Amino acid sequence: MNSPGAAPWCPDLSGRIGPLYRMIAAALHDDIIAGRLPPGTRLPTHRDLAWKLKVTVGTITRAYVEAERQGLIGGEVGRGTFVRDPSRLPELPAEPRPGDNLVDLSVNSTAIWQDMPDLRAAMEAVSRDDGLTMMMGYTPSSGVDRICRAGAAWIESCSGLAVPVDRIVPAPGGQGAMHAAFAAATRPGDAVLVEPLTYPGVRPLAAQMGLRLLPVAMDGDGLIPEALEREATLHGARTLYCMPTLQNPTTITMPLERRQAIVAVARRVGLTIIEDDVYGFLDESTPPPLAALAPDVTVYITGLSKSLFPGLRAGYVVPPAALLARVVTAVRATVMTGSHLGAVVATELIESGAASRIARRRRAIVAERQQMARRCLGDLLTASNPACTHLWLTLPEHWRREALVRELLARAVKITPADGFAVGRGEIPQAVRICICSVERLETLSTALHVLADLLQEPAMADLALV
Ligand SMILES: Cc1ncc(COP(=O)(O)O)c(C=O)c1O
């Protein structure tokens, strides 16, 4: 035990992980709480401890600042830094606890806060509608026709895809649309080709349906046609699931030539394409969907969770004529129909023009937040598409994704490592996804991004404790 006065305290860092300053602060915390450093003990100067530990003075300063933040030590100008009495401290957490004030940037939700007046107006209009009773029954015959006409208009306005109204099948959200498309296009045991990093909702779907997901290599323009042809032939796969526009998570949008090449391969090897376009509305300058290039082999799906509201559980499937009956059967066998109420409110929003207004506001919010993120994270976002509701951030050389996610969580900010999207056993890039529309206040997002930017500047010291 050290007696009060000048103390030759030296932290034991063995077995600790994380940035060095936090390992030192944690060792200090443990020694104080365990009584090894009694109240009043004078700690070594920043310079002495830095010399002893062979680290920079700045690291010791940060460690002491962290311990001071926790109320464990205090400085007196000219006299030094002293241990406080831990029994007289309020209960302070050693670090922010995930769960309390957690800034969750891991969910790709959408910025709905400003759109409530439009939603309320649509719901009121629907509740006054003479057709409400009819629409709330099992078979809202003319209602379904209206839902499909609005769906066709919406899809055309977002993607340019002209869709025959009788080809639209309403589904419960994007996930419901995916389920119906997969059920129609595959058989249990099938191999389904996917991007190597893909929307995680496809994994439980495949597991439940007894499908094998096989990754196809991508480059900066999306799926590589030669790789697609090779994998399809090798595994006898008959289905491809992909996101040509603002791919989740990489944000890549396939240019037109790449789309044409993918469609050509699909025709050559007999693939049905399931094209997921839930983010298409965010970028008005994207090339035509695969379904416009090859409507006979493409099941187009979209949902209104990102463009309107997740709670509507509204989406659409547009299958080729040959798969229409199977898609209808799949919806009927699982959920009977999509949510009429959600679909009718969505229809009202589309018909009244409110949906276009909302989509414009969403694009403006994304643009504002993307600019903010770029000011904060700079070059690390060069490969991340600025039209997207999330960032795809490639880590600087000295960071590993697990360490970054863990360290950030300790600072009460949650993001997703590339692992969350990976299919197969290929190499996973050192990258993370950060959703920028999941928190309402811009200041909250700004603070979280600055915490991230600061952390990225630090050396990742996790390995120092390893020998
Ligand atoms: C690419 C993609 N497809 C489908 C979905 C599911 O959409 P929904 O929330 O409407 O079920 C998501 C949700 O994040 C998604 O990112």
Side-chain angles (χ1 to χ4, degrees), residues 60-392:
I60 303 302
T61 303
R62 292 196 73 180
Y64 281 9
V65 166
E66 174 65 17
E68 197 165 350
R69 185 186 71 77
Q70 295 172 30
L72 294 165
I73 61 173
E76 285 175 37
V77 180
R79 289 196 57 224
T81 307
F82 294 87
V83 173
R84 287 195 171 147
D85 183 353
S87 65
R88 311 231 320 255
L89 288 173
E91 271 287 294
L92 274 176
E95 54 195 30
R97 262 194 275 259
D100 312 330
N101 301 314
L102 182 71
V103 181
D104 192 346
L105 308 182
S106 70
V107 179
N108 219 348
S109 42
T110 188
I112 60 175
W113 312 285
Q114 299 172 26
D115 303 319
M116 289 304 138
D118 278 318
L119 179 61
R120 276 199 197 93
M123 292 175 85
E124 272 164 30
V126 166
S127 71
R128 282 194 305 267
D129 193 323
D130 289 344
L132 184 64
T133 318
M134 182 184 64
M135 284 180 198
M136 289 298 106
Y138 268 126
T139 50
S141 44
S142 63
V144 167
D145 189 49
R146 192 181 147 206
I147 289 167
C148 292
R149 266 186 282 114
W154 182 246
I155 289 171
E156 184 158 10
S157 77
C158 292
S159 69
L161 180 67
V163 186
V165 174
D166 60 4
R167 195 71 62 70
I168 296 218
V169 184
Q175 189 74 26
M178 280 171 71
H179 179 273
F182 274 75
T186 66
R187 300 273 191 289
D190 275 3
V192 175
L193 302 169
V194 292
E195 287 130 342
L197 298 169
T198 187
Y199 166 55
V202 75
R203 290 197 301 237
L205 196 62
Q208 200 184 38
M209 291 183 162
L211 305 169
R212 286 174 298 135
L213 296 179
L214 300 173
V216 175
M218 289 171 79
D219 62 16
D221 285 343
L223 288 168
I224 301 172
E226 296 74 24
L228 179 63
E229 182 146 13
R230 195 174 52 243
E231 296 298 324
T233 312
L234 190 64
H235 300 284
R238 295 185 305 114
T239 313
L240 164 69
Y241 166 74
C242 63
M243 290 157 269
T245 300
L246 299 176
Q247 203 262 355
N248 184 5
T250 63
T251 76
I252 289 171
T253 287
M254 274 188 201
L256 178 60
E257 308 76 63
R258 183 59 66 89
R259 291 176 191 235
Q260 288 164 333
I262 292 295
V263 161
V265 171
R267 288 193 191 290
R268 214 163 33 244
V269 299
L271 283 175
T272 297
I273 303 170
I274 298 174
E275 176 179 29
D276 186 337
D277 195 30
V278 303
Y279 296 104
F281 78 99
L282 286 167
D283 189 352
E284 294 175 292
S285 64
T286 46
L290 303 181
L293 304 176
D296 52 323
V297 297
T298 307
V299 186
Y300 177 92
I301 60 175
T302 192
L304 303 182
S305 298
K306 315 293 175 182
S307 48
L308 297 179
F309 304 93
L312 293 176
R313 302 315 304 146
Y316 311 101
V317 188
V318 187
L323 285 179
L324 180 60
R326 284 180 63 88
V327 169
V328 171
T329 303
V331 174
R332 195 169 170 73
T334 49
V335 289
M336 182 76 85
T337 66
S339 153
H340 290 160
L341 186 54
V344 169
V345 173
T347 297
E348 176 63 34
L349 287 165
I350 294 166
E351 288 175 348
S352 69
S356 303
R357 250 194 335 268
I358 291 172
R360 261 199 307 281
R361 280 203 289 269
R362 301 280 165 90
R363 288 191 286 270
I365 289 172
V366 166
E368 180 185 29
R369 292 178 176 219
Q370 283 278 355
Q371 275 169 21
M372 195 177 86
R374 270 146 226 277
R375 279 196 300 276
C376 198
L377 297 162
D379 287 351
L380 297 173
L381 295 177
T382 38
S384 187
N385 192 317
C388 217
T389 46
H390 63 267
L391 312 171
W392 184 242

